[in-house]
Coordinates of all heavy atoms in Angstrom, one line a residue:
M296 N -15.2 49.2 -36.0 CA -15.6 48.7 -34.7 C -16.1 47.2 -34.8 O -16.8 46.9 -35.7 CB -16.7 49.5 -34.1 CG -16.3 50.9 -33.6 SD -16.1 51.2 -31.9 CE -17.6 50.6 -31.1
A297 N -15.7 46.5 -33.9 CA -16.1 45.1 -33.9 C -17.6 45.0 -33.5 O -18.1 45.8 -32.8 CB -15.3 44.3 -32.9
T298 N -18.2 44.0 -34.0 CA -19.6 43.8 -33.7 C -19.8 43.4 -32.3 O -19.1 42.5 -31.8 CB -20.2 42.8 -34.6 OG1 -20.0 43.1 -36.0 CG2 -21.7 42.6 -34.4
R299 N -20.6 44.1 -31.6 CA -20.8 43.7 -30.1 C -22.0 42.7 -30.1 O -23.1 43.0 -30.5 CB -21.2 44.9 -29.3 CG -20.0 45.9 -29.2 CD -20.4 47.1 -28.4 NE -20.6 46.7 -27.0 CZ -19.8 47.1 -26.0 NH1 -18.7 47.8 -26.3 NH2 -20.0 46.7 -24.8
T300 N -21.7 41.6 -29.5 CA -22.8 40.6 -29.4 C -23.2 40.5 -27.9 O -24.2 39.8 -27.6 CB -22.3 39.2 -29.9 OG1 -21.1 38.9 -29.2 CG2 -22.1 39.3 -31.4
A301 N -22.4 41.1 -27.0 CA -22.8 40.9 -25.6 C -24.1 41.6 -25.3 O -24.3 42.7 -25.8 CB -21.7 41.5 -24.7
T302 N -24.9 41.0 -24.5 CA -26.2 41.6 -24.1 C -26.2 41.9 -22.6 O -27.1 42.5 -22.1 CB -27.3 40.7 -24.4 OG1 -27.1 39.5 -23.8 CG2 -27.5 40.5 -25.9
A303 N -25.1 41.5 -22.0 CA -25.0 41.8 -20.5 C -23.6 42.1 -20.2 O -22.7 41.6 -20.9 CB -25.5 40.6 -19.7
R304 N -23.4 42.8 -19.1 CA -22.1 43.2 -18.7 C -22.0 43.1 -17.2 O -22.8 43.5 -16.5 CB -21.8 44.6 -19.1 CG -20.4 45.1 -18.8 CD -20.3 46.6 -18.9 NE -19.1 47.0 -18.3 CZ -18.1 47.6 -18.9 NH1 -18.2 47.9 -20.2 NH2 -17.0 48.0 -18.3
S305 N -20.9 42.4 -16.8 CA -20.7 42.3 -15.3 C -20.1 43.6 -14.8 O -19.3 44.2 -15.4 CB -19.7 41.2 -15.0 OG -20.2 39.9 -15.4
L306 N -20.7 44.0 -13.6 CA -20.2 45.2 -13.0 C -19.4 44.9 -11.8 O -19.8 44.0 -11.0 CB -21.4 46.1 -12.6 CG -22.4 46.5 -13.7 CD1 -23.5 47.4 -13.1 CD2 -21.6 47.3 -14.8
K307 N -18.3 45.6 -11.6 CA -17.4 45.3 -10.5 C -17.8 46.1 -9.2 O -17.1 46.9 -8.7 CB -16.0 45.5 -10.8 CG -15.5 44.6 -11.9 CD -14.0 44.7 -12.1 CE -13.5 43.8 -13.2 NZ -13.9 42.4 -13.0
V308 N -19.1 45.9 -8.9 CA -19.6 46.5 -7.7 C -20.3 45.5 -6.8 O -20.7 44.4 -7.3 CB -20.6 47.6 -8.0 CG1 -19.9 48.8 -8.7 CG2 -21.7 47.1 -8.9
A309 N -20.4 45.8 -5.5 CA -21.0 44.8 -4.6 C -22.5 45.0 -4.7 O -23.0 46.1 -4.9 CB -20.6 45.1 -3.2
C310 N -23.2 43.9 -4.5 CA -24.7 44.0 -4.5 C -25.2 44.7 -3.3 O -24.7 44.5 -2.2 CB -25.2 42.5 -4.4 SG -27.0 42.5 -4.2
P311 N -26.0 45.7 -3.5 CA -26.5 46.5 -2.3 C -27.5 45.8 -1.4 O -27.8 46.2 -0.4 CB -27.2 47.7 -3.0 CG -27.6 47.2 -4.3 CD -26.6 46.2 -4.7
F312 N -27.9 44.6 -1.8 CA -28.8 43.8 -1.1 C -28.2 42.7 -0.3 O -28.5 42.5 0.9 CB -30.0 43.3 -2.0 CG -30.8 44.4 -2.5 CD1 -30.5 44.9 -3.8 CD2 -31.9 44.9 -1.8 CE1 -31.3 46.0 -4.3 CE2 -32.7 45.9 -2.3 CZ -32.3 46.5 -3.6
C313 N -27.3 41.9 -0.9 CA -26.7 40.8 -0.3 C -25.2 41.0 -0.1 O -24.5 40.1 0.5 CB -27.0 39.5 -1.0 SG -26.1 39.3 -2.6
M314 N -24.6 42.1 -0.6 CA -23.2 42.5 -0.5 C -22.3 41.5 -1.2 O -21.1 41.6 -1.0 CB -22.8 42.6 1.0 CG -23.6 43.6 1.8 SD -23.4 45.2 1.1 CE -24.9 46.0 1.7
A315 N -22.8 40.6 -2.1 CA -21.9 39.8 -2.9 C -21.1 40.7 -3.8 O -21.6 41.6 -4.4 CB -22.8 38.8 -3.7
G316 N -19.8 40.3 -3.9 CA -19.0 41.1 -4.7 C -19.0 40.7 -6.2 O -19.0 39.5 -6.4
E317 N -19.0 41.6 -7.1 CA -18.9 41.3 -8.5 C -19.9 40.3 -9.0 O -19.6 39.4 -9.8 CB -17.4 40.9 -8.9 CG -16.5 42.0 -8.5 CD -15.0 41.7 -9.0 OE1 -14.9 40.8 -9.9 OE2 -14.1 42.3 -8.5
A318 N -21.1 40.3 -8.5 CA -22.1 39.4 -8.9 C -23.2 40.1 -9.7 O -24.2 39.5 -10.0 CB -22.7 38.7 -7.7
I319 N -23.0 41.4 -10.0 CA -24.0 42.2 -10.6 C -23.9 42.1 -12.2 O -22.8 42.3 -12.7 CB -23.9 43.6 -10.2 CG1 -23.9 43.7 -8.7 CG2 -25.1 44.4 -10.8 CD1 -25.1 43.2 -8.0
T320 N -25.0 41.9 -12.8 CA -25.0 41.9 -14.3 C -25.9 43.0 -14.7 O -27.0 43.1 -14.3 CB -25.5 40.5 -14.8 OG1 -24.6 39.5 -14.3 CG2 -25.4 40.5 -16.4
L321 N -25.4 43.8 -15.7 CA -26.2 44.9 -16.2 C -26.7 44.4 -17.6 O -25.9 44.0 -18.4 CB -25.4 46.2 -16.4 CG -26.0 47.4 -17.0 CD1 -27.2 47.9 -16.2 CD2 -25.0 48.5 -17.3
D322 N -28.0 44.5 -17.8 CA -28.6 44.2 -19.1 C -28.4 45.3 -20.1 O -28.8 46.4 -19.9 CB -30.1 44.0 -18.9 CG -30.8 43.5 -20.2 OD1 -30.2 43.6 -21.3 OD2 -31.9 43.0 -20.1
L323 N -27.6 45.1 -21.1 CA -27.2 46.1 -22.1 C -28.4 46.5 -23.0 O -28.3 47.6 -23.6 CB -26.0 45.7 -22.9 CG -24.7 45.5 -22.1 CD1 -23.6 45.1 -23.0 CD2 -24.3 46.8 -21.4
N324 N -29.5 45.8 -22.9 CA -30.7 46.2 -23.7 C -31.5 47.1 -22.9 O -32.4 47.7 -23.4 CB -31.4 44.9 -24.1 CG -30.6 44.1 -25.1 OD1 -30.1 44.7 -26.1 ND2 -30.6 42.8 -24.9
D325 N -31.3 47.1 -21.6 CA -32.0 47.9 -20.7 C -31.1 48.4 -19.6 O -30.8 47.7 -18.6 CB -33.2 47.2 -20.0 CG -34.0 48.1 -19.1 OD1 -33.6 49.2 -18.9 OD2 -35.1 47.6 -18.6
L326 N -30.5 49.5 -19.8 CA -29.4 50.0 -18.9 C -29.9 50.3 -17.4 O -29.1 50.7 -16.6 CB -28.7 51.2 -19.5 CG -28.0 50.8 -20.8 CD1 -27.3 52.1 -21.4 CD2 -26.9 49.8 -20.5
R327 N -31.2 50.2 -17.2 CA -31.7 50.4 -15.8 C -32.0 49.1 -15.2 O -32.6 49.0 -14.1 CB -32.9 51.3 -15.9 CG -32.6 52.7 -16.1 CD -33.9 53.5 -16.4 NE -34.5 53.0 -17.6 CZ -35.6 53.5 -18.1 NH1 -36.2 54.5 -17.5 NH2 -36.2 53.0 -19.2
A328 N -31.6 47.9 -15.8 CA -31.9 46.6 -15.2 C -30.6 45.9 -14.8 O -29.8 45.4 -15.6 CB -32.6 45.8 -16.3
C329 N -30.4 45.9 -13.5 CA -29.3 45.1 -12.9 C -29.9 43.9 -12.2 O -30.9 44.0 -11.6 CB -28.5 46.0 -11.9 SG -27.6 47.4 -12.6
T330 N -29.1 42.8 -12.3 CA -29.5 41.6 -11.6 C -28.4 41.1 -10.9 O -27.2 41.1 -11.4 CB -30.0 40.6 -12.6 OG1 -31.0 41.1 -13.5 CG2 -30.6 39.3 -11.9
C331 N -28.6 40.6 -9.6 CA -27.6 40.0 -8.8 C -27.6 38.5 -9.0 O -28.7 37.9 -8.8 CB -27.8 40.4 -7.4 SG -26.6 39.5 -6.3
E332 N -26.5 37.9 -9.4 CA -26.5 36.5 -9.6 C -26.5 35.7 -8.2 O -26.8 34.6 -8.2 CB -25.2 36.1 -10.3 CG -25.2 36.5 -11.8 CD -23.9 36.4 -12.5 OE1 -23.0 35.7 -11.9 OE2 -23.7 37.0 -13.5
S333 N -26.1 36.4 -7.2 CA -26.1 35.8 -5.9 C -27.4 35.7 -5.2 O -27.8 34.6 -4.7 CB -25.1 36.6 -5.0 OG -25.0 35.9 -3.7
C334 N -28.2 36.8 -5.2 CA -29.5 36.8 -4.5 C -30.7 36.9 -5.4 O -31.8 37.0 -5.0 CB -29.5 37.9 -3.4 SG -29.6 39.5 -4.0
S335 N -30.4 37.0 -6.7 CA -31.4 37.1 -7.8 C -32.3 38.4 -7.7 O -33.3 38.5 -8.3 CB -32.4 35.9 -7.7 OG -31.6 34.7 -7.9
E336 N -31.8 39.4 -6.9 CA -32.5 40.6 -6.8 C -32.3 41.4 -8.1 O -31.2 41.4 -8.7 CB -31.9 41.4 -5.6 CG -32.7 42.6 -5.2 CD -34.0 42.2 -4.4 OE1 -33.9 41.4 -3.4 OE2 -35.1 42.7 -4.7
S337 N -33.4 42.1 -8.5 CA -33.3 42.9 -9.7 C -33.6 44.4 -9.3 O -34.5 44.6 -8.5 CB -34.4 42.5 -10.7 OG -34.1 41.3 -11.2
F338 N -32.8 45.3 -9.8 CA -32.9 46.7 -9.4 C -32.2 47.5 -10.4 O -31.4 47.1 -11.2 CB -32.2 46.9 -8.0 CG -30.8 46.3 -7.9 CD1 -29.7 47.0 -8.3 CD2 -30.7 45.0 -7.5 CE1 -28.5 46.4 -8.3 CE2 -29.4 44.4 -7.4 CZ -28.3 45.1 -7.8
S339 N -32.5 48.8 -10.3 CA -31.9 49.8 -11.3 C -30.6 50.4 -10.6 O -30.5 50.3 -9.3 CB -32.8 50.9 -11.6 OG -33.0 51.7 -10.5
P340 N -29.7 50.9 -11.4 CA -28.5 51.5 -10.7 C -28.9 52.6 -9.8 O -28.3 52.8 -8.7 CB -27.8 52.1 -11.9 CG -28.1 51.2 -13.1 CD -29.6 50.8 -12.8
Q341 N -30.0 53.3 -10.1 CA -30.4 54.4 -9.1 C -30.9 53.8 -7.8 O -30.6 54.3 -6.7 CB -31.6 55.2 -9.8 CG -32.1 56.4 -8.9 CD -31.0 57.4 -8.7 OE1 -30.4 57.9 -9.6 NE2 -30.7 57.8 -7.4
Q342 N -31.6 52.7 -7.9 CA -32.1 52.0 -6.7 C -30.9 51.5 -5.9 O -30.9 51.6 -4.7 CB -33.0 50.8 -7.0 CG -34.4 51.3 -7.4 CD -35.2 50.1 -7.8 OE1 -34.8 49.3 -8.7 NE2 -36.4 49.9 -7.2
A343 N -29.9 51.0 -6.6 CA -28.7 50.5 -5.9 C -28.0 51.7 -5.2 O -27.5 51.5 -4.1 CB -27.7 49.8 -6.9
Y344 N -27.9 52.8 -5.9 CA -27.2 54.0 -5.3 C -28.0 54.4 -4.1 O -27.4 54.7 -3.1 CB -27.2 55.1 -6.4 CG -26.6 56.3 -5.8 CD1 -25.2 56.4 -5.6 CD2 -27.4 57.3 -5.3 CE1 -24.6 57.6 -5.1 CE2 -26.8 58.5 -4.7 CZ -25.4 58.6 -4.6 OH -24.9 59.7 -4.0
D345 N -29.3 54.5 -4.2 CA -30.1 54.9 -3.1 C -29.9 54.0 -1.9 O -29.8 54.4 -0.7 CB -31.6 54.9 -3.4 CG -32.0 56.0 -4.4 OD1 -31.1 56.9 -4.6 OD2 -33.1 56.0 -5.0
R346 N -29.9 52.7 -2.2 CA -29.7 51.7 -1.1 C -28.3 51.9 -0.5 O -28.1 51.9 0.8 CB -29.8 50.3 -1.7 CG -29.5 49.2 -0.7 CD -30.8 48.7 -0.1 NE -30.5 47.6 0.9 CZ -31.4 46.9 1.5 NH1 -32.6 47.1 1.3 NH2 -31.0 46.0 2.4
A347 N -27.3 52.1 -1.3 CA -25.9 52.3 -0.8 C -25.8 53.6 0.0 O -25.2 53.6 1.0 CB -24.9 52.3 -2.0
A348 N -26.5 54.6 -0.5 CA -26.5 55.9 0.3 C -27.2 55.7 1.6 O -26.7 56.3 2.6 CB -27.2 57.0 -0.6
E349 N -28.2 54.9 1.7 CA -28.9 54.7 2.9 C -28.0 54.0 3.9 O -27.9 54.3 5.1 CB -30.1 53.8 2.6 CG -31.1 53.5 3.7 CD -32.2 52.6 3.3 OE1 -32.8 52.7 2.2 OE2 -32.5 51.6 4.1
L350 N -27.2 53.0 3.4 CA -26.3 52.3 4.2 C -25.2 53.2 4.7 O -24.7 53.2 5.8 CB -25.6 51.1 3.4 CG -26.6 49.9 3.2 CD1 -25.9 48.9 2.3 CD2 -27.0 49.2 4.5
A351 N -24.7 54.1 3.8 CA -23.6 55.0 4.1 C -24.1 56.0 5.2 O -23.3 56.3 6.1 CB -23.2 55.8 2.8
A352 N -25.4 56.4 5.1 CA -25.9 57.3 6.1 C -25.9 56.7 7.4 O -25.6 57.3 8.5 CB -27.3 57.8 5.6
K353 N -26.3 55.4 7.5 CA -26.3 54.7 8.8 C -25.0 54.5 9.4 O -24.7 54.7 10.6 CB -27.0 53.3 8.6 CG -28.5 53.4 8.4 CD -29.1 52.0 8.2 CE -30.6 52.1 8.0 NZ -31.3 50.9 7.5
W354 N -24.0 54.2 8.5 CA -22.6 54.1 9.0 C -22.1 55.4 9.4 O -21.3 55.5 10.4 CB -21.7 53.5 7.9 CG -21.8 52.0 7.9 CD1 -22.3 51.1 7.0 CD2 -21.3 51.1 9.0 NE1 -22.2 49.8 7.5 CE2 -21.5 49.8 8.6 CE3 -20.6 51.4 10.2 CZ2 -21.2 48.7 9.5 CZ3 -20.2 50.3 11.0 CH2 -20.6 49.0 10.6
A355 N -22.5 56.5 8.7 CA -22.0 57.8 9.1 C -22.5 58.2 10.5 O -21.7 58.8 11.2 CB -22.5 58.8 8.1
S356 N -23.7 57.7 10.8 CA -24.2 58.1 12.2 C -23.4 57.2 13.2 O -23.2 57.7 14.3 CB -25.7 57.8 12.3 OG -26.0 56.5 12.0
V357 N -23.0 56.0 12.8 CA -22.2 55.2 13.8 C -20.8 55.8 14.0 O -20.3 56.0 15.1 CB -22.0 53.7 13.2 CG1 -21.0 53.0 14.0 CG2 -23.4 53.0 13.2
V358 N -20.2 56.3 12.9 CA -18.9 56.9 12.9 C -19.0 58.2 13.8 O -18.2 58.5 14.6 CB -18.4 57.2 11.5 CG1 -17.1 58.1 11.6 CG2 -18.0 55.9 10.8
A359 N -20.1 59.0 13.6 CA -20.2 60.2 14.3 C -20.4 59.9 15.8 O -19.9 60.6 16.7 CB -21.5 61.0 13.8
W360 N -21.1 58.8 16.1 CA -21.4 58.5 17.5 C -20.1 58.1 18.2 O -19.8 58.4 19.3 CB -22.4 57.3 17.5 CG -22.6 56.8 18.9 CD1 -23.3 57.4 19.9 CD2 -22.1 55.6 19.5 NE1 -23.3 56.6 21.1 CE2 -22.5 55.5 20.8 CE3 -21.3 54.6 19.0 CZ2 -22.2 54.5 21.7 CZ3 -20.9 53.5 19.8 CH2 -21.4 53.5 21.1
I361 N -19.2 57.3 17.4 CA -18.0 56.8 18.0 C -17.0 58.0 18.2 O -16.4 58.1 19.3 CB -17.3 55.8 17.0 CG1 -18.1 54.5 17.1 CG2 -15.8 55.6 17.4 CD1 -17.7 53.5 16.0
E362 N -17.1 58.9 17.3 CA -16.2 60.1 17.4 C -16.6 61.0 18.6 O -15.8 61.7 19.1 CB -16.1 60.9 16.1 CG -15.3 60.2 15.0 CD -15.3 60.9 13.7 OE1 -16.1 61.8 13.5 OE2 -14.5 60.5 12.9
S363 N -17.9 61.0 18.9 CA -18.4 61.8 20.0 C -18.3 61.1 21.3 O -18.5 61.7 22.4 CB -19.8 62.3 19.7 OG -20.7 61.1 19.8
A364 N -18.0 59.8 21.3 CA -18.0 59.0 22.5 C -16.7 59.4 23.3 O -15.7 59.6 22.7 CB -18.0 57.5 22.2
P365 N -16.8 59.5 24.6 CA -15.6 59.8 25.4 C -14.6 58.7 25.3 O -14.9 57.5 25.3 CB -16.2 59.9 26.8 CG -17.5 59.2 26.8 CD -18.0 59.3 25.4
V366 N -13.3 59.1 25.1 CA -12.2 58.2 25.0 C -11.8 57.7 26.4 O -11.7 58.5 27.3 CB -11.0 58.8 24.3 CG1 -9.8 57.8 24.3 CG2 -11.4 59.3 23.0
T367 N -11.7 56.4 26.6 CA -11.4 55.9 27.9 C -9.9 55.7 28.1 O -9.2 55.4 27.1 CB -12.1 54.6 28.2 OG1 -11.8 53.6 27.1 CG2 -13.6 54.7 28.3
Ligands
LIG262 ZN1 -27.3 40.2 -4.3

């Protein structure tokens, strides 16, 4: 195996705070430390997931509302 010198890895996910795409860097020395290069927010993958789930839940209620709205 080649020697790994990288200490950070870019993640191809959108920032859950500012929605910047592919601006997230994961610290390979601390796999719970993600940093957004766009808004400088620091968070763990779990926090990012929770935030994304919160956004998804809000959108789900919008979708449900639209589907229940009478069609004109
Ligand atoms: Zn961000």
Side-chain angles (χ1 to χ4, degrees):
M296 288 253 315
T298 305
R299 292 180 69 111
T300 54
T302 56
R304 180 192 168 120
S305 293
L306 301 180
K307 297 193 180 303
V308 289
C310 173
F312 294 92
C313 71
M314 300 302 158
E317 301 186 18
I319 308 300
T320 302
L321 175 66
D322 184 345
L323 294 179
N324 293 314
D325 181 356
L326 296 176
R327 285 169 299 182
C329 290
T330 306
C331 175
E332 289 168 17
S333 183
C334 68
S335 301
E336 195 74 49
S337 294
F338 48 86
S339 71
Q341 183 63 51
Q342 285 175 304
Y344 177 81
D345 290 348
R346 176 93 181 187
E349 189 183 313
L350 290 174
K353 286 179 181 171
W354 276 111
S356 63
V357 172
V358 169
W360 175 76
I361 289 170
E362 286 177 348
S363 68
V366 179
T367 55

